[in-house]
Coordinates of all heavy atoms in Angstrom, one line a residue:
I1 N -4.9 -8.6 2.2 CA -4.3 -7.7 1.1 C -3.0 -8.3 0.8 O -2.2 -8.6 1.7 CB -4.1 -6.3 1.6 CG1 -5.5 -5.7 2.1 CG2 -3.5 -5.4 0.6 CD1 -5.3 -4.3 2.8
M2 N -2.8 -8.5 -0.5 CA -1.5 -9.1 -1.0 C -0.8 -8.1 -1.9 O -1.4 -7.4 -2.7 CB -1.7 -10.4 -1.7 CG -2.3 -11.5 -0.8 SD -2.5 -13.1 -1.5 CE -3.3 -14.0 -0.2
A3 N 0.5 -8.1 -1.8 CA 1.3 -7.2 -2.6 C 2.7 -7.8 -2.8 O 3.3 -8.3 -1.9 CB 1.4 -5.8 -2.0
A4 N 3.2 -7.8 -4.0 CA 4.5 -8.2 -4.3 C 5.3 -7.2 -5.2 O 4.8 -6.8 -6.2 CB 4.4 -9.6 -5.1
D5 N 6.4 -6.7 -4.6 CA 7.2 -5.8 -5.3 C 6.5 -4.5 -5.7 O 6.7 -4.0 -6.8 CB 7.9 -6.4 -6.5 CG 9.4 -6.2 -6.6 OD1 9.9 -5.5 -5.7 OD2 10.1 -6.8 -7.5
V6 N 5.8 -4.0 -4.8 CA 5.1 -2.7 -5.0 C 5.9 -1.5 -4.6 O 5.6 -0.3 -4.9 CB 3.7 -2.6 -4.4 CG1 2.8 -3.7 -5.0 CG2 3.8 -2.9 -2.9
V7 N 7.0 -1.7 -3.8 CA 7.8 -0.6 -3.3 C 9.2 -0.7 -4.1 O 10.0 -1.6 -3.9 CB 8.1 -0.8 -1.8 CG1 9.0 0.3 -1.3 CG2 6.8 -0.8 -1.0
Y8 N 9.4 0.3 -4.9 CA 10.6 0.5 -5.6 C 10.8 2.0 -5.9 O 10.0 2.8 -5.3 CB 10.7 -0.4 -6.9 CG 9.5 -0.2 -7.8 CD1 9.5 0.7 -8.8 CD2 8.4 -1.0 -7.6 CE1 8.4 0.9 -9.6 CE2 7.2 -0.8 -8.4 CZ 7.3 0.1 -9.4 OH 6.2 0.3 -10.2
Y9 N 11.6 2.4 -6.8 CA 11.9 3.8 -7.0 C 10.8 4.4 -7.9 O 10.9 4.4 -9.1 CB 13.2 4.0 -7.6 CG 13.6 5.5 -7.7 CD1 13.9 6.2 -6.6 CD2 13.6 6.2 -8.9 CE1 14.2 7.6 -6.6 CE2 13.9 7.5 -9.0 CZ 14.2 8.2 -7.8 OH 14.5 9.6 -7.9
H10 N 9.7 4.8 -7.3 CA 8.6 5.5 -8.0 C 8.0 6.6 -7.1 O 8.3 6.5 -5.9 CB 7.5 4.5 -8.4 CG 6.8 3.8 -7.3 ND1 5.9 4.4 -6.5 CD2 6.8 2.5 -6.9 CE1 5.4 3.6 -5.6 NE2 6.0 2.4 -5.8
P11 N 7.4 7.6 -7.7 CA 6.9 8.7 -6.9 C 5.6 8.6 -6.2 O 5.0 9.6 -5.8 CB 6.9 9.8 -8.0 CG 6.5 9.1 -9.2 CD 7.1 7.7 -9.1
F12 N 5.1 7.4 -6.0 CA 3.7 7.2 -5.5 C 3.8 6.4 -4.2 O 2.8 5.7 -3.8 CB 2.9 6.5 -6.5 CG 2.9 7.1 -7.8 CD1 3.5 6.6 -8.9 CD2 2.2 8.3 -8.0 CE1 3.5 7.2 -10.2 CE2 2.1 9.0 -9.2 CZ 2.8 8.4 -10.3
L13 N 4.8 6.5 -3.4 CA 4.9 5.7 -2.1 C 3.9 6.3 -1.1 O 3.4 5.6 -0.3 CB 6.3 5.8 -1.6 CG 7.4 5.0 -2.4 CD1 8.8 5.2 -1.8 CD2 7.0 3.6 -2.6
D14 N 3.7 7.6 -1.1 CA 2.7 8.2 -0.2 C 1.3 7.6 -0.5 O 0.5 7.3 0.4 CB 2.7 9.7 -0.3 CG 3.9 10.4 0.3 OD1 4.6 9.7 1.0 OD2 4.1 11.5 0.0
E15 N 1.0 7.6 -1.8 CA -0.3 7.1 -2.2 C -0.4 5.6 -1.9 O -1.5 5.1 -1.6 CB -0.5 7.3 -3.7 CG -0.7 8.8 -4.1 CD 0.6 9.6 -4.2 OE1 1.7 9.0 -3.9 OE2 0.6 10.7 -4.6
L16 N 0.7 4.9 -2.0 CA 0.6 3.4 -1.7 C 0.3 3.2 -0.2 O -0.5 2.4 0.1 CB 2.0 2.8 -2.0 CG 2.2 1.3 -1.6 CD1 1.1 0.4 -2.3 CD2 3.6 0.8 -2.0
L17 N 0.9 4.0 0.6 CA 0.6 3.9 2.1 C -0.8 4.2 2.3 O -1.5 3.6 3.2 CB 1.6 4.7 2.9 CG 1.6 4.6 4.4 CD1 1.9 3.2 4.8 CD2 2.5 5.6 5.0
L18 N -1.3 5.3 1.7 CA -2.7 5.7 1.8 C -3.6 4.5 1.4 O -4.7 4.3 2.1 CB -3.0 6.9 1.0 CG -4.3 7.6 1.1 CD1 -4.6 8.1 2.5 CD2 -4.5 8.7 0.1
T19 N -3.3 3.8 0.4 CA -4.1 2.7 -0.1 C -4.1 1.6 0.9 O -5.2 1.0 1.1 CB -3.6 2.3 -1.5 OG1 -3.6 3.4 -2.4 CG2 -4.4 1.2 -2.1
F20 N -3.0 1.2 1.4 CA -2.9 0.1 2.4 C -3.8 0.6 3.6 O -4.6 -0.3 4.1 CB -1.5 0.0 3.0 CG -0.6 -1.0 2.2 CD1 0.6 -0.6 1.6 CD2 -1.0 -2.3 2.0 CE1 1.4 -1.5 0.9 CE2 -0.2 -3.2 1.3 CZ 1.0 -2.8 0.8
D21 N -3.7 1.8 4.0 CA -4.5 2.3 5.1 C -6.0 2.2 4.9 O -6.8 1.9 5.7 CB -4.1 3.7 5.5 CG -4.7 4.2 6.8 OD1 -4.8 3.5 7.7 OD2 -5.1 5.4 6.8
H22 N -6.4 2.6 3.7 CA -7.8 2.6 3.3 C -8.4 1.2 3.3 O -9.5 1.0 3.8 CB -8.0 3.3 2.0 CG -9.4 3.4 1.6 ND1 -10.3 4.4 2.0 CD2 -10.2 2.6 0.8 CE1 -11.5 4.2 1.5 NE2 -11.5 3.1 0.8
L23 N -7.7 0.3 2.7 CA -8.2 -1.1 2.5 C -8.2 -2.0 3.7 O -8.9 -3.0 3.7 CB -7.5 -1.7 1.3 CG -7.6 -1.1 -0.1 CD1 -6.6 -1.8 -1.1 CD2 -9.0 -1.1 -0.6
C24 N -7.3 -1.6 4.6 CA -7.1 -2.5 5.8 C -8.0 -2.3 6.9 O -8.0 -1.2 7.5 CB -5.6 -2.3 6.2 SG -5.1 -3.6 7.4
K25 N -8.8 -3.3 7.3 CA -9.6 -3.3 8.4 C -8.9 -3.8 9.7 O -7.8 -4.3 9.6 CB -10.9 -4.1 8.2 CG -11.8 -3.5 7.1 CD -12.5 -2.3 7.6 CE -13.7 -2.0 6.7 NZ -13.5 -1.7 5.3
N26 N -9.6 -3.8 10.8 CA -8.9 -4.3 12.0 C -8.4 -5.7 12.0 O -7.5 -6.1 12.7 CB -9.8 -4.0 13.2 CG -9.9 -2.6 13.6 OD1 -8.9 -1.9 13.6 ND2 -11.1 -2.1 13.8
D27 N -9.2 -6.6 11.2 CA -8.8 -8.0 11.2 C -8.2 -8.4 9.8 O -8.1 -9.6 9.5 CB -10.0 -8.9 11.5 CG -11.2 -8.6 10.6 OD1 -11.2 -7.7 9.8 OD2 -12.2 -9.3 10.7
T28 N -7.9 -7.4 9.0 CA -7.2 -7.8 7.7 C -5.7 -8.1 7.9 O -5.1 -7.4 8.7 CB -7.4 -6.5 6.8 OG1 -8.7 -6.2 6.6 CG2 -6.7 -6.8 5.4
V29 N -5.3 -9.1 7.2 CA -3.9 -9.5 7.2 C -3.3 -9.0 5.9 O -3.8 -9.3 4.8 CB -3.7 -11.0 7.4 CG1 -2.3 -11.4 7.2 CG2 -4.3 -11.4 8.7
I30 N -2.2 -8.3 6.0 CA -1.4 -7.9 4.8 C -0.2 -8.9 4.6 O 0.5 -9.2 5.6 CB -0.8 -6.5 5.0 CG1 -2.0 -5.5 5.1 CG2 0.1 -6.1 3.7 CD1 -1.5 -4.1 5.5

């Protein structure tokens, strides 16, 4: 999973964390 500059002042940080959690398997590298 790749992400660049997805954390800044926006109201969707809870949803972002939920998305990381959903997409990430045990052997997935972020």
